[in-house]
Amino acid sequence: YGALVLPNVRDPQSVDAQAVCPGYTASNVVNTANGLTASLTLAGAACNVYGTDIQDLSLLVEYQANDRLHVQIQPAYISAANSTQFILSERLVPKPATDGNTTSVDDIVFSWSNNPSFGFTVTRKSTGDTLFTTQGKKLVFENQFIEFASPLPENHNLYGLGEIIDGLRLTNNRTKTIYVADSADAIDYNVYGSHPFYLDTRYYEVDSASGSLSLVTSNETNPSANYTSYSHGVYLRNAHAQEILLRAENITWRTLGGSIDLYFFPGPSAVEVTKSYQHGAIGLPAMHQYFTLGFHQCRQGYKNWTQLQEVVDNFERFEIPLEVLWTDIDYMNQYRDFENDQNTFSYAEGREFLDALNKGGRHYVPIVDAAIYIPNPENASDAYPTFERGNAADVFLHNPDGSLYVGAVWPGYTVFPDWLSPGASSWWSNEMITYHANISYSGIWIDMSEVASFCVGSCGSGNVTMNPVHPPFALPGEPGAIMYQYPEGFEVTNATEAAAASAVSMREASSAEPITFTYEVAPSSTMVSYLRTTPTPAVRDVNHPPYVINNIQGDLGVQDVSPNATHSDGTL
């Protein structure tokens, strides 16, 4: 279990940074061939509300292309000691660059002011509409907290800011958290993806006589009126935990680190915004093989190759299309990557099955988890070559003290690939090639890559002699974890079985201990002892930062590798 924390957006004791922080003042403004540069200095005494205020910042404004404006604010003094804290590596997330000959962006213009403190504005020239402005709000830039905000039209139409299960149009009283979490199908909370981008579409009523435009701020329209729309996009290139407060009157961005690395795409259509965002910022999606567009079958619980063959046979029997068959962790040897259970999914039988599957024009995709079992050093029979090769190449995450970071996933105590390590990619590729020689898969389902861990912190440090250990909960099918959704014989007597399963499931649910987190602030909440950390000058508490985001799991280390897990280059 992690620490009991209360998100700041729900904490009555939280401090409003806008009320206590001074903002910044711009100076040394220099116009460049495609924009400007400036210095930003704290406009008053440091507030240090959720971290240590950065005294001096640098501003860079670039008209990078006809369809892209770049606004960057970062600490003025970047060194090897703090670069990974503030600068997102271009090796991980590509950084858009100027095309070298653009001096303006079609239909949008940048301006700034020091009244009452530094703020900037992005305006659409053709309509005079303000697309984004920090004027009237203070810029807050600390070593563990950044905040900036912009007004939004009433009843705004925003889309994006994922990954989250929500309506397509984002509601205007919601906090969007971006922090990758192993949280299944949580409604209105952060789940598996990180996409700090939104599309803003604004509708205008066109005056039939003059052609002038009036911004529509109502959800109701006039059937006899003539309307047109303009869209723009905003992308924050920042990989730190963050949340976006969508309110009726504005949008507020808060991050736990990094820099302000904003890109504006003028559109004016949603299609043009999307093209600009993909071509100019993040790149196009990978081209998939043709067969992946077909019909797939996947579930947990397949027991052996024979059962998989029965699945294929039944699809053929009932003339149901099937292109790809997937298997979950059931096929593995004690849940270890790149090894099959030779009693149930032997390589010899697998070759026969896959040969027939491929001849039928079908493909096979096994799951592989982003966690590598660490064998028991006191048990020679527990040897695991995949780990040994990776450990020899030093490709796993470490603790800040240099020891291996050891979490817990399906096979027991595990380590995690460090994709910033120079040898990680070649080691991983070799493991996939070696495994393919035994099982000719057509693709790999990489799971648990949030990166997920079933314990908080490096819980396996000093405990690997206990391996293999059971996960800290019952596995599907074990006592207390029966899968009532798909009972045995369901496909034969589904009505009877489903009714019985539903009754048993509800009975167990009513007596079980609750496992979900709730953050409702009731009058009695003052009796609850929440962890609240206070800033220490020049020190970052990455595991429990003073500002608490609205994370589905609460503590940042619950169901995730802890934030202080360290990469080979020092990146956390």
Side-chain angles (χ1 to χ4, degrees), residues 152-455:
L152 287 172
E154 183 181 358
N155 294 313
H156 47 75
N157 301 283
L158 263 61
Y159 310 89
L161 299 176
E163 181 181 8
I164 192 169
I165 299 175
D166 196 359
L168 179 61
R169 180 188 178 192
L170 303 179
T171 53
N172 60 14
N173 188 24
R174 184 69 53 81
T175 298
K176 295 293 193 181
T177 302
I178 296 182
Y179 182 71
V180 178
D182 179 21
S183 54
D185 299 327
I187 305 297
D188 298 336
Y189 277 97
N190 50 307
V191 285
Y192 301 113
S194 175
H195 305 278
F197 166 85
Y198 70 82
L199 174 76
D200 183 343
T201 296
R202 302 183 184 184
Y203 295 90
Y204 299 81
E205 184 174 350
V206 183
D207 185 274
S208 57
S210 65
S212 61
L213 304 178
S214 299
L215 180 65
V216 177
T217 58
S218 171
N219 285 323
E220 298 181 0
T221 58
N222 181 355
S224 62
N226 182 23
Y227 296 95
T228 188
S229 66
Y230 287 81
S231 296
H232 67 275
V234 180
Y235 165 48
L236 177 66
R237 185 178 169 274
N238 186 308
H240 284 255
Q242 57 194 270
E243 62 186 18
I244 301 95
L245 282 63
L246 293 174
R247 301 297 184 258
E249 69 284 353
N250 68 5
I251 179 171
T252 299
W253 225 304
R254 295 172 177 169
T255 82
L256 299 188
S259 63
I260 299 174
D261 198 6
L262 283 166
Y263 299 83
F264 297 90
F265 308 93
S269 71
V271 171
E272 289 169 303
V273 170
T274 303
K275 285 183 177 180
S276 297
Y277 175 53
Q278 290 185 323
H279 285 277
I282 63 169
L284 295 171
M287 181 67 73
H288 286 71
Q289 302 98 319
Y290 184 69
F291 76 83
T292 64
L293 303 177
F295 292 89
H296 298 241
Q297 168 64 22
C298 174
R299 60 158 284 190
Q300 188 176 30
Y302 291 130
K303 297 178 180 179
N304 47 50
W305 292 118
T306 300
Q307 192 174 81
L308 287 179
Q309 185 60 59
E310 292 173 355
V311 170
V312 175
D313 292 343
N314 281 331
F315 269 83
E316 291 183 343
R317 175 187 172 192
F318 292 101
E319 299 182 345
I320 301 173
L322 177 65
E323 273 72 40
V324 189
L325 190 63
W326 299 48
T327 53
D328 211 305
I329 58 176
D330 315 278
Y331 78 88
M332 293 180 175
N333 172 29
Q334 302 177 82
Y335 304 129
R336 304 178 189 189
D337 285 351
F338 308 117
E339 288 191 358
N340 278 32
D341 184 328
Q342 294 305 301
N343 294 316
T344 54
F345 288 90
S346 71
Y347 295 142
E349 187 179 353
R351 291 188 188 100
E352 294 181 6
F353 170 78
L354 293 175
D355 183 59
L357 188 75
N358 296 152
K359 286 180 179 178
R362 299 186 176 96
H363 299 264
Y364 171 63
V365 175
I367 195 172
V368 171
D369 288 330
I372 301 299
Y373 177 74
I374 181 169
N376 187 331
E378 296 181 357
N379 182 358
S381 65
D382 200 39
Y384 182 37
T386 291
F387 167 80
E388 301 298 346
R389 289 188 288 264
N391 196 39
D394 193 22
V395 301
F396 300 126
L397 288 173
H398 290 79
N399 289 303
D401 64 5
S403 62
L404 284 176
Y405 183 101
V406 185
V409 189
W410 301 111
Y413 291 124
T414 59
V415 291
F416 305 89
D418 171 10
W419 299 112
L420 299 186
S421 171
S425 293
S426 59
W427 161 77
W428 184 263
S429 298
N430 180 68
E431 297 306 315
M432 292 185 67
I433 292 169
T434 301
Y435 182 59
H436 192 271
N438 293 317
I439 295 295
S440 57
Y441 56 84
S442 296
I444 287 288
W445 167 17
I446 299 179
D447 196 26
M448 311 295 285
S449 56
E450 291 75 24
V451 177
S453 178
F454 298 150
C455 67

Side-chain angles (χ1 to χ4, degrees), residues 33-53:
N34 64 335
L36 62 85
T37 62
S39 300
L40 303 180
T41 306
L42 271 178
C47 61
N48 299 325
V49 61
Y50 295 116
T52 302
D53 281 33

